[in-house]
Each structure stands twice: as structure tokens, then as C-alpha cells.
Amino acid sequence: MEIKRLEDIKEPPVRTVLTIGNFDGVHMGHQRIIKQVVSSAKRIKGTSVVMTFDPHPMRYLQPEKDLPLLTLCDEKAKIIEKLGIQILLCVKFDQSFASLEPEEFIKKILVDKLAVREIIIGKDYRFGKAKKGDVKLLKREGNKYGFRVEVVTPVKIKGEIVSSSTIRTLIKKGEVKRVTDFLGRPYSIEGTVVRGTGRGSTILGFPTANILSGAELIPKEGVYAVKVKIEESPAGKKKKEDRLLNGIMNIGTNPTFGNQELSLEVHILDFNEDILHKFIKVYFIERLRNEKKFSSPDALRKAIKRDIEKARLHLQGKVFTEGPHKP
Ligand code: RBF
Ligand code: MG
């Protein structure tokens, strides 16, 4: 997959099949659309293209609104690549882009720049200045310029429409199992292992890797069964396969010890290597309980033992697919 900016496109791709959107999370609904772009492009021997925005338009249009992203740019690109897209167009969302009239956007970008043959979108897709453009307008302009518009129905899971905002809410509530269904993969956060208090190994007997993460959305405080991937060597120089281990994670302030600050800590099961400063990724499989203030470190130690037994049950034999689920 090639990642391009609009300015990089000198010649339109061959028979462009396009979708446009933020695709935050690249959830099951997004995946349905993107897969359709890939198969349509194959059918007409054209080029599959996803147009997405960076920064997220809401950051520009309503900066006061708190909108934590599910996927940062890099991860979004990786997932879209796995779905088979040939070109990812990252469009800088700025004043000049935001002020394009819908008809101008279609003419200047979709027609002149991309020579689009087919555009595949969800039924609520809105675009152009003040979001005045919709599917109806797109179809009308499509007739004029000679491109097809295909509307994809949203994905429903157990009666509920999959959307990025629903997924954000579920993560904030700690409902990571439902999040897995909606995303088509477990939600994950990544970061570097930093030095903690040392209390895990000295007082508790359960050493934890403390994670410094750039993730914008952290699941609700509590204890989770997780899978942990340790990056073995710096990107680009991969020699060994990254390992996928079982773990148990606490997100919280450690009230038993009277702390205030939020920490992200993972205890990896059956493991005793030093992974300080390594880059790791944690996949949320199941929520086990709330974080509590225990009467003593010993009471907490006993609770963690029980957590570990429960986690093993959830993690054992877990068929784990990191990428999007196969169709
Ligand atoms: N700290 C608490 O104060 N309350 C908890 O309920 C709690 N649960 C934890 C569960 C697990 C599986 C792990 C690994 C840690 C937990 N901690 C909890 C955090 C613990 O206080 C912390 O790891 C040590 O203080 C070292 O930083
Ligand atoms: Mg620690």
C-alpha cells in the first residue's frame, strides 16, 4: 500500500474506486465498506483508494470537543493495508479544505485529481462546506461526470449499529469484550515500559511492567485479562517473531497504597525477563473487576492470585487474530 498526500498525485490512478471517511478504529462497519472497495477495484482492474483525514476534522471544526481517537494514524494505516487497499490518501484537513463547496470538492478532487469511477460510502456520509453534501447530491453529480455511487448498509451486531462513538463509550465503560466484536479485533494500547515504584516485585511479589502510552482512549479503571506483545527488535530490523504472551493488567491509581496518579501496569504470566524500555502492545480480552482499596498488601496479593486464575481461563486456547477478522 502506498500512503500519499493529495499533492503527491500528479496523474489520476487507473480506474479509481474510492471511499472517504475518518475510519477511526477501522471497525466492522468500516471494514465492510473497505472490503467492497477492494473487490470492486479487482473486478474492474482498477485501483482501490481510501481517502482519510489527518488531523481528524473534529479537531479542526470543534477543537473544544473531547474526541479521543481509537486508532492513531500509524495503526489505522496498518489495518487498512491488511484489508488490501492499494492507496491510502491522507488529506490535511484545514481551512481551505473545510471551505470547499460539495460540488467543488467533487469536481476538483474526485473528478480532476482522482478520475473516480466508483465511490463507495455509508448512507449517512456528509461532505463539503457545512456538510451540505450528501448521497443524493453525490449521485446526481455522478450522473453528470460518469461515476457510480454505491451505498453500503451499516453493520449491526446483536441489533446495534457499529459506530466509532459507540465503541468509544464501550471502552470508557470497560466493556472490552463487546468492543472486540465491534472492532473485529481486541482493542489495544501500546507504549514503552518505564520504571515504576518497584512495589510490585518487592511488596506484592507480582512484578509489573508500567506502560507509558500515547493512547488517547484508556479503558475504565480496573483489572483486565490481556494478551501482551513484546517488540523484539527495533522496527525495520525484525529478526525474531514478536512474542504474544498472557497477562493481567491493572488500570488505576493503586488506592491500597494511597496513590493519586493513574498507572497502566501489566503483570505477564509465567515470565521473568527484564523488559524495561521495551515497546509493548496490550490487547484487552476481558474485564475482571474494579480496582479496590484493600486493607493490606497481603489482601491485594491474594486478590491478584485469584485474578490470575480467572485470567488463565479467559486466555487459554484463545484464538487470537491481531488483524481484522477474515470475511
Ligand atoms: N492496586 C490496588 O490498589 N487495588 C487493586 O485492586 C489492584 N489490583 C491489581 C490487580 C493486578 C492484576 C495488578 C497487576 C495490580 C493491581 N493493583 C491494584 C496495583 C498494585 O497496587 C501495583 O501493581 C503495585 O502497587 C505496584 O505498582
Ligand atoms: Mg511496576
Side-chain angles (χ1 to χ4, degrees):
M1 186 179 74
E2 290 178 275
I3 301 179
K4 292 186 172 181
R5 298 248 154 207
L6 266 181
E7 310 82 77
D8 300 333
I9 306 243
K10 305 286 181 242
E11 290 280 301
V14 176
R15 289 182 287 279
T16 301
V17 180
L18 176 76
T19 186
I20 310 172
N22 297 309
F23 303 115
D24 184 34
V26 204
H27 58 56
M28 293 299 272
H30 299 144
Q31 289 174 37
R32 177 180 281 176
I33 296 176
I34 293 170
K35 282 174 186 167
Q36 202 144 324
V37 170
V38 171
S39 65
S40 230
K42 281 204 177 119
R43 200 182 54 239
I44 64 166
K45 297 196 167 56
T47 313
S48 54
V49 184
V50 168
M51 183 191 289
T52 193
F53 304 98
D54 183 31
H56 193 291
M58 286 301 261
R59 293 270 152 93
Y60 190 83
L61 299 168
Q62 273 179 276
E64 70 286 356
K65 191 173 163 169
D66 177 41
L67 184 85
L69 296 182
L70 297 163
T71 39
L72 303 180
C73 220
D74 251 23
E75 194 191 6
K76 190 160 90 172
K78 272 189 206 152
I79 303 166
I80 291 172
E81 177 167 37
K82 277 193 190 138
L83 289 164
I85 288 291
Q86 289 165 292
I87 298 178
L88 180 64
L89 253 184
C90 275
V91 175
K92 198 165 107 226
F93 196 88
D94 57 13
Q95 183 59 52
S96 80
F97 194 86
S99 59
L100 283 175
E101 292 291 338
E103 292 85 353
E104 265 184 298
F105 169 72
I106 292 171
K107 173 73 170 70
K108 285 190 180 160
I109 297 178
L110 302 190
V111 175
D112 293 348
K113 261 237 167 221
L114 299 171
V116 68
R117 286 289 183 94
E118 204 172 316
I119 172 161
I120 300 174
I121 34 132
K123 73 172 176 17
D124 294 326
Y125 177 64
R126 290 275 187 292
F127 64 100
K129 189 175 171 187
K131 291 191 176 177
K132 283 181 292 191
D134 59 9
V135 169
K136 209 172 135 203
L137 176 85
L138 203 54
K139 283 189 169 165
R140 200 172 64 223
E141 298 292 292
N143 286 333
K144 184 159 115 196
Y145 294 113
F147 59 82
R148 258 168 48 81
V149 177
E150 196 168 314
V151 178
V152 176
T153 48
V155 170
K156 278 189 186 175
I157 291 174
K158 289 181 191 138
E160 194 170 359
I161 290 181
V162 175
S163 77
S164 301
S165 54
T166 306
I167 296 171
R168 287 186 198 105
T169 307
L170 289 172
I171 292 172
K172 286 181 194 157
K173 290 202 280 185
E175 292 184 37
V176 296
K177 217 170 169 182
R178 288 188 68 215
V179 169
T180 303
D181 294 337
F182 279 29
L183 283 178
R185 61 178 190 279
Y187 183 62
S188 61
I189 58 172
E190 52 187 24
T192 308
V193 177
V194 294
R195 202 175 287 284
T197 57
R199 217 163 34 212
S201 19
T202 53
I203 304 180
L204 284 177
F206 293 105
T208 63
N210 295 53
I211 304 171
L212 182 67
S213 173
E216 294 188 3
L217 198 55
I218 306 294
K220 182 184 172 182
E221 292 187 11
V223 180
Y224 295 88
V226 298
K227 289 276 181 181
V228 184
K229 193 157 90 177
I230 304 176
E231 195 169 88
E232 295 295 348
S233 43
K237 293 196 217 166
K238 290 230 164 72
K239 290 190 192 80
K240 278 194 279 177
E241 270 288 293
D242 291 339
R243 284 175 294 174
L244 196 58
L245 305 164
N246 292 330
I248 187 153
M249 173 154 219
N250 186 64
I251 298 178
T253 54
N254 309 353
T256 307
F257 299 93
N259 280 15
Q260 307 276 317
E261 247 171 80
L262 187 83
S263 64
L264 312 175
E265 295 179 70
V266 61
H267 170 74
I268 304 174
L269 308 186
D270 316 312
F271 186 81
N272 66 353
E273 291 170 36
D274 181 7
I275 55 167
L276 192 63
H277 307 314
K278 287 217 174 178
F279 195 72
I280 69 174
K281 190 163 177 175
V282 176
Y283 302 85
F284 292 89
I285 307 298
E286 185 89 55
R287 180 179 170 86
L288 300 178
R289 64 169 172 89
N290 291 329
E291 192 191 41
K292 281 178 259 182
K293 184 176 165 67
F294 285 91
S295 54
S296 66
D298 198 49
L300 171 56
R301 182 177 20 245
K302 284 182 181 130
I304 294 178
K305 273 193 182 149
R306 288 193 296 273
D307 293 336
I308 290 174
E309 294 320 310
K310 273 196 222 155
R312 283 194 198 281
L313 295 177
H314 290 297
L315 297 168
Q316 249 156 29
K318 181 102 212 153
V319 183
F320 183 83
T321 45
E322 185 187 2
H325 289 176
K326 290 267 164 350

